Amino acid sequence: MFKRPGPKYSIANTRVQSAALTHPDGSVFHQPIMAHVLEDTYGLATHYLSTCCSTGEECQLAIVRHPQKAKAVGLPFCARPGLLLPVGSAGSSRRWDMWARHCLLEEMRKLELKSVRFIGMPLIEGLENSMPLAAAYPYARLPLRELVEIQSELHYSLKKALNKAERSGLHVRTAPPTRANTDLFYSFYLGGMKRFGTPPHPRPYFETWFSLDQTHLLLIQVFHKDTVLALLLAGYTANQMELLFTLSKKEGLEYRCNDLAHWQAIELAHQMGLDAVDFGPMKYSGQRRFKEKWGVEESLRWDLGWDLIRDEIRAIPPLSQEHPQLRIGAAFFQNMPRPLLERMGRHIRRTLLR
């Protein structure tokens, strides 16, 4: 049984929530709610730190500490960085002066941490030498405009798929996820993780999350007659909608349910007056082929490691999909019985913070 240390807040929850919902790199995963989800599910402690740049602009840092080691991740289990920095001169870049860096460094050293890892970091001005292009990967975002204009720029094959979904008599229902429909969601989720060979979160992760956040999550359900064939879990901030999990039954692929769920998310984001739909990273060829069909804009992101002892930051190149470590791991989980997969997933996620 692991110890539950509880979430740590060094700045007010209202400021954390505001940054989560308004910063360009903000996400539903930055919310203080997620600190409770990680504590209840994994016994992990979340630390929220803040400082100001020399210009007076705020820098916020959300990190989750490893349960046994002197290292942390900002943030685990998502594709967004835990480090929210002022927007740089290029718009897609971020600014981080030496004063703010020094202050955050001292705060993390007080926590007796030796290193921290950031996922999906935009280019930081002044750190170009630590963020080489060879270690970057593309990130997909669809700026919203009139739906007719978006439709006209969809790939031809995607237009055919959406027409097929419409002719197949599919219908869609959208509502916030609840604790009551966690069983439905988790059956799809566990099947999808097994199919992809990925360690899953345990059921309590979603039960706690869905019970706490009824404001910034939507569950899109695609039906054929009375049968649910696909689910898409989306989160939204003041600026954009994030596509978090897309899950479907094999028979749903014939009707192009996933394509219809994505289009429904785009329509909803447009109706809500949001600026963009966040399609997430494109680290692998399959991800890239699917997301490019939607006419997304690409930007570069990096995974960074910060050695807090030496105060050195370096890029961590993403593993190739063909890397033996990934292929062997995927095959191992694909052949594992579902109950064992769920139990192993909890242990592996907690150990790797991924």
Side-chain angles (χ1 to χ4, degrees):
M1 187 69 179
F2 53 77
K3 180 182 178 183
R4 296 183 181 274
K8 310 295 183 186
Y9 302 111
S10 297
I11 52 178
N13 283 7
T14 52
R15 284 166 58 198
V16 174
Q17 183 74 4
S18 176
L21 299 180
T22 60
H23 192 280
D25 300 324
S27 161
V28 293
F29 291 100
H30 287 84
Q31 299 180 97
I33 281 173
M34 295 309 296
H36 293 285
V37 174
L38 295 179
E39 182 209 357
D40 290 347
T41 308
Y42 293 108
L44 296 171
T46 303
H47 299 265
Y48 293 100
L49 308 175
S50 176
T51 188
C52 286
C53 297
S54 56
T55 58
E57 297 169 289
E58 187 175 40
C59 302
Q60 282 196 18
L61 174 61
I63 54 174
V64 175
R65 188 185 185 113
H66 191 278
Q68 283 95 30
K69 301 177 181 178
K71 63 181 183 179
V73 177
L75 282 163
F77 314 140
C78 73
R80 294 296 195 90
L83 183 60
L84 303 181
L85 300 176
V87 176
S89 56
S92 60
S93 63
R94 302 292 177 260
R95 290 184 292 105
W96 194 18
D97 62 22
M98 293 303 297
W99 171 250
R101 175 171 168 172
H102 172 76
C103 291
L104 291 177
L105 177 65
E106 290 302 308
E107 288 299 309
M108 287 190 286
R109 284 175 174 172
K110 289 178 184 178
L111 297 173
E112 299 181 346
L113 292 171
K114 295 181 179 179
S115 66
V116 62
R117 187 175 80 243
F118 299 117
I119 308 299
M121 197 72 214
L123 182 67
I124 302 175
E125 295 174 3
L127 285 182
E128 289 86 354
N129 291 338
S130 299
M131 303 173 75
L133 286 177
Y137 54 88
Y139 197 93
R141 183 175 180 270
L142 178 66
L144 292 177
R145 49 234 188 253
E146 292 301 320
L147 290 177
V148 174
E149 186 179 347
I150 296 175
Q151 283 179 315
S152 69
E153 296 178 5
L154 298 179
H155 191 273
Y156 174 71
S157 63
L158 190 53
K159 293 178 182 178
K160 287 182 60 178
L162 292 172
N163 287 334
K164 181 176 183 179
E166 184 178 352
R167 293 195 306 270
S168 299
L170 301 179
H171 60 281
V172 178
R173 297 178 194 165
T174 303
T178 64
R179 196 160 189 146
N181 59 24
T182 303
D183 285 345
L184 172 67
F185 175 85
Y186 199 75
S187 66
F188 274 76
Y189 171 78
L190 195 59
M193 296 301 101
K194 180 176 171 65
R195 190 160 61 248
F196 293 124
T198 302
H201 288 293
R203 186 188 306 265
Y205 177 85
F206 295 104
E207 288 177 341
T208 305
W209 189 8
F210 293 171
S211 66
L212 290 176
D213 194 349
Q214 292 292 299
T215 309
H216 298 102
L217 292 176
L218 288 174
L219 186 62
I220 298 172
Q221 303 180 52
V222 180
F223 289 79
H224 183 254
K225 297 182 180 178
D226 294 327
T227 302
V228 181
L229 294 182
L231 299 173
L232 190 155
L233 181 66
Y236 58 92
T237 65
N239 306 309
Q240 59 191 344
M241 181 171 287
E242 304 170 69
L243 307 182
L244 304 177
F245 296 99
T246 306
L247 310 160
S248 63
K249 295 181 178 179
K250 287 185 178 180
E251 53 266 36
L253 300 177
E254 176 186 350
Y255 298 107
R256 309 308 294 264
C257 293
N258 288 344
D259 297 323
L260 182 59
H262 278 75
W263 180 250
Q264 178 70 12
I266 293 170
E267 287 188 326
L268 286 170
H270 183 269
Q271 292 170 14
M272 295 164 68
L274 302 179
D275 297 330
V277 175
D278 180 351
F279 275 71
M282 299 191 291
K283 292 186 177 181
Y284 310 124
S285 57
Q287 287 180 328
R288 187 175 193 116
R289 285 195 300 272
F290 175 77
K291 295 175 183 182
E292 284 180 339
K293 292 179 180 181
W294 294 93
V296 297
E297 288 185 354
E298 298 181 19
S299 60
L300 294 180
R301 299 292 175 96
W302 286 261
D303 296 344
L304 301 177
W306 188 3
D307 184 328
L308 303 177
I309 305 300
R310 299 182 178 87
D311 188 18
E312 294 177 353
I313 296 177
R314 63 178 181 84
I316 305 170
L319 289 177
S320 165
Q321 194 175 17
E322 300 301 315
H323 193 283
Q325 180 180 337
L326 293 182
R327 297 182 66 181
I328 293 172
F332 177 71
F333 289 112
Q334 285 167 346
N335 291 286
M336 187 177 290
R338 285 195 178 199
L340 181 58
L341 179 64
E342 182 177 353
R343 291 198 296 272
M344 288 289 291
R346 177 195 288 268
H347 172 73
I348 291 171
R349 290 268 186 175
R350 183 171 184 264
T351 301
L352 298 180
L353 295 183
R354 294 182 182 178

